[in-house]
Amino acid sequence: MHSYDTIIIGAGIGGLVSAALLAAEGKDVLVLEQHGSVGGCAATFSHRGFRFDTGATIGSGFQKNGPMQWLADKLHICWPTQPLDVAWEYREENTRLLLDNNRHTLLQHFPASESFWMEQADVADRLWAVSEKLFSLYQRSRSQQITALLRTLPAKVGSSKILQLSTMSAKGWLQKHKLQGDAAFSRFIDAQLLISAQTTSASCNVLYAAMALDLPRQSPCSIVGGMGTVADMLSRKISSSGGQVNCGEKALSFTVEKNQITEVISSKGRYTAKEIILNGSSAGLATLLGKEIPSAWQRQSRASWGAFILHIAADKEIMKQLNSSHLQLVDPAAGKLAEGTSLFLSSSHLHDRTRAPEGKIALSISTHTAVQPWWEARKKGKDTYTAMKQTYTEKILSLLESHVPDFRSNIDFCMAGTPLTYKRCTGRYLGLVGGYGQKSILPPRQNRFGIKNCTLVGDFTFPGQSMAAVTVGAVLAVDRISRRL
């Protein structure tokens, strides 16, 4: 039986960041990943000469002093990023807005929102400053960390304005700025929060919303080779630092004695470790422990949303009809921003030949969808499930062609992915996306089983689904774990 300092279950970004930092410190680490490649929700896969992003498509946190830049400096990595002048284009009927760092077209279209955006930028800047301070205190003594934070936090987030906002939902924030009556703006905000926070204004705390809405301001980028390049680089860093990454090896169960995990049993072996890091949720932990999923976790997490995704190989001529490599489409007749009525299209960079052959592009088009109907359809049989996929595919392509004429005629091939596909590729319970609910500024309890040597990382444990947020959560977790090793 092999023994390690730390075993990391799941090679999503949270797990890889944790493993890379620990390996760089000289710790003996093992990463177990059930899939054949690393990355999880930020992976990239190949098919017929094209490379498609599994989920995440826009790089965030790579700005100066941002989490990804801090990580690069710490691990001596240089990310192959390509800046995006326009994060994405928003289209709803005849409305076309370019989301960039100066928000010019946004303010032209919604002039009454100027005070809202000024406050959003102020709140986000304060929170980024707190994040930067946390990183600067990495591996300092607890007394040094506490002293420094006591000096920083009151100035950055201790003002009466921030404290007041921290008790409000984003919907209440709109009311504060007298924007609740502007249906078009409220719909726009809900659509943006769905992209970056996986929820809408009624269910998102202001502080989380401020950060989620900040993505277009903070040097968004594409990654050469796709988002999976980041995961691949982290995996190689782990190996070069003496760590071990085992893809195609699934963790099956834990042996527990006196509230300590004493053994990890996988599909290929048995291991022991002083510390266990699970890149996942309480649902995943419950499964490994052979226990029921806590009902409180299901209430506090967003245990309903998944994604339906089309991966499309297409001719680059499509891009002539777009102002950005990323496009958000909203059907104005829809009552709910899901199930094919709100789409997010991401294209590979035209000059990135690692993603598509000359003259071609790799596209990912996603919409939020409830997970349960997909599992019910699969239970009814393959024909029912296939028909449901075809219905969703047709709905998405029809909405796309209302904005991009002749879209279908430029397609080489199209593959559909459902929550079941996502579960198979990422191991996420039911194929869920979006982590925990963000109504409160305090995260829900994650390790609900009293396991002393198990730490959870990933978007179910730290607010926000971006690479930046998951990285922050992983760094904070490693800072705690390093003290125990």
Side-chain angles (χ1 to χ4, degrees):
M1 186 181 297
H2 298 284
S3 183
Y4 297 87
D5 290 321
T6 307
I7 295 175
I8 296 90
I9 312 296
I13 294 300
L16 292 171
V17 169
S18 301
L21 288 171
L22 288 167
E25 293 172 15
K27 302 297 189 293
D28 193 11
V29 302
L30 168 67
V31 181
L32 300 178
E33 168 55 46
Q34 61 143 15
H35 198 52
S37 58
V38 298
C41 300
T44 304
F45 69 95
S46 298
H47 184 74
R48 291 168 55 179
F50 291 80
R51 283 178 59 79
F52 299 98
D53 287 323
T54 300
T57 57
I58 296 181
S60 64
F62 291 85
Q63 73 272 20
K64 182 181 179 181
N65 297 324
M68 300 309 294
Q69 187 55 55
W70 178 91
L71 184 65
D73 293 341
K74 190 75 176 175
L75 298 177
H76 307 291
I77 288 175
C78 182
W79 308 119
T81 60
Q82 294 176 324
L84 296 172
D85 294 330
V86 176
W88 59 83
E89 180 185 7
Y90 174 86
R91 293 189 188 183
E92 180 182 359
E93 205 166 26
N94 295 322
T95 299
R96 296 190 177 191
L97 303 174
L98 300 180
L99 276 70
D100 53 21
N101 60 1
N102 62 34
R103 292 172 168 163
H104 181 65
T105 59
L106 186 57
L107 291 172
Q108 276 189 325
H109 193 78
F110 298 115
S113 69
E114 184 174 7
S115 65
F116 172 85
W117 291 115
M118 288 179 64
E119 187 164 72
Q120 177 275 323
D122 177 56
V123 172
D125 287 344
R126 289 169 179 266
L127 294 175
W128 281 118
V130 171
S131 172
E132 185 179 345
K133 173 57 70 173
L134 288 173
F135 280 112
S136 72
L137 296 172
Y138 179 71
Q139 292 190 324
R140 299 278 188 89
S141 69
R142 292 299 291 166
S143 61
Q144 287 176 317
Q145 290 180 338
I146 292 170
T147 300
L149 289 174
L150 287 175
R151 290 173 180 168
T152 301
L153 291 180
K156 295 299 181 183
V157 295
S159 68
S160 59
K161 180 180 78 170
I162 298 296
L163 293 175
Q164 179 189 29
L165 290 174
S166 70
T167 65
M168 298 169 55
S169 68
K171 186 174 182 179
W173 196 16
L174 295 177
Q175 293 173 343
K176 175 178 180 288
H177 287 271
K178 298 181 172 55
L179 293 166
Q180 73 278 12
D182 190 335
F185 185 70
S186 295
R187 190 177 179 83
F188 169 79
I189 291 297
D190 281 343
Q192 305 321 301
L193 290 176
L194 270 177
I195 291 176
S196 301
Q198 309 295 322
T199 189
T200 53
S201 57
S203 302
C204 191
N205 182 274
V206 169
L207 301 191
Y208 295 156
M211 292 298 277
L213 294 171
D214 211 47
L215 198 157
R217 287 180 67 230
Q218 298 295 337
S219 306
C221 61
S222 61
I223 311 294
V224 176
M227 296 299 287
T229 297
V230 172
D232 290 338
M233 292 177 70
L234 287 171
S235 180
R236 289 195 295 271
K237 189 65 181 181
I238 295 165
S239 298
S240 67
S241 299
Q244 189 174 339
V245 180
N246 290 3
C247 288
E249 183 169 0
K250 183 177 182 179
L252 300 176
S253 63
F254 293 149
T255 301
V256 178
E257 295 179 10
K258 297 180 180 180
N259 293 329
Q260 295 265 357
I261 295 173
T262 57
E263 184 181 44
V264 177
I265 302 169
S266 80
S267 56
K268 296 182 179 180
R270 305 168 83 95
Y271 311 98
T272 63
K274 299 172 186 175
E275 294 284 339
I276 307 296
I277 296 177
L278 175 62
N279 189 164
S281 66
S282 286
L285 179 57
T287 300
L288 289 165
L289 292 171
K291 298 180 179 292
E292 291 187 4
I293 297 170
S295 58
W297 176 84
Q298 296 192 62
R299 288 195 306 271
Q300 293 173 342
S301 70
R302 287 190 288 270
S304 60
W305 282 125
F308 180 83
I309 303 178
L310 294 181
H311 297 297
I312 296 175
D315 194 276
K316 72 174 184 179
E317 291 300 310
I318 287 174
M319 298 306 295
K320 291 182 179 179
Q321 302 182 58
L322 306 177
N323 294 308
S324 169
S325 56
H326 300 276
L327 172 67
Q328 185 180 24
L329 291 181
V330 172
D331 183 353
K336 194 173 186 179
L337 298 174
E339 313 298 353
T341 64
S342 175
L343 311 178
F344 195 71
L345 176 152
S346 295
S347 166
S348 60
H349 196 283
L350 286 173
H351 303 298
D352 187 353
R353 294 278 66 83
T354 67
R355 297 285 309 278
E358 183 70 32
K360 302 292 182 178
I361 52 174
L363 297 170
S364 295
I365 306 167
S366 62
T367 185
H368 285 80
T369 186
V371 299
Q372 205 58 47
W374 290 98
W375 290 96
E376 292 171 359
R378 191 66 184 89
K379 286 181 181 179
K380 292 177 181 178
K382 184 178 179 181
D383 290 345
T384 302
Y385 178 68
T386 300
M388 191 170 175
K389 287 204 294 185
Q390 291 172 341
T391 298
Y392 272 68
T393 299
E394 176 61 31
K395 187 173 185 179
I396 288 173
L397 293 179
S398 295
L399 179 55
L400 272 170
E401 285 210 313
S402 69
H403 289 268
V404 186
D406 300 321
F407 183 87
R408 295 175 207 243
S409 63
N410 286 287
I411 292 177
D412 289 5
F413 63 84
C414 174
M415 301 180 294
T418 75
L420 278 71
T421 315
Y422 216 57
K423 163 107 176 33
R424 185 176 69 250
C425 294
T426 67
R428 294 171 75 101
Y429 174 66
L430 295 179
L432 294 170
V433 300
Y436 67 76
Q438 297 175 15
K439 290 184 179 180
S440 167
I441 60 171
L442 298 176
R445 180 184 171 199
Q446 292 302 322
N447 186 340
R448 297 174 179 274
F449 302 99
I451 307 299
K452 297 177 181 178
N453 64 336
C454 182
T455 302
L456 275 64
V457 297
D459 62 10
F460 279 98
T461 63
F462 195 82
Q465 287 64 55
S466 70
M467 195 173 282
V470 170
T471 296
V472 172
V475 171
L476 295 179
V478 170
D479 190 49
R480 294 192 301 272
I481 291 169
S482 294
R483 300 175 196 284
R484 301 199 292 263
L485 291 174

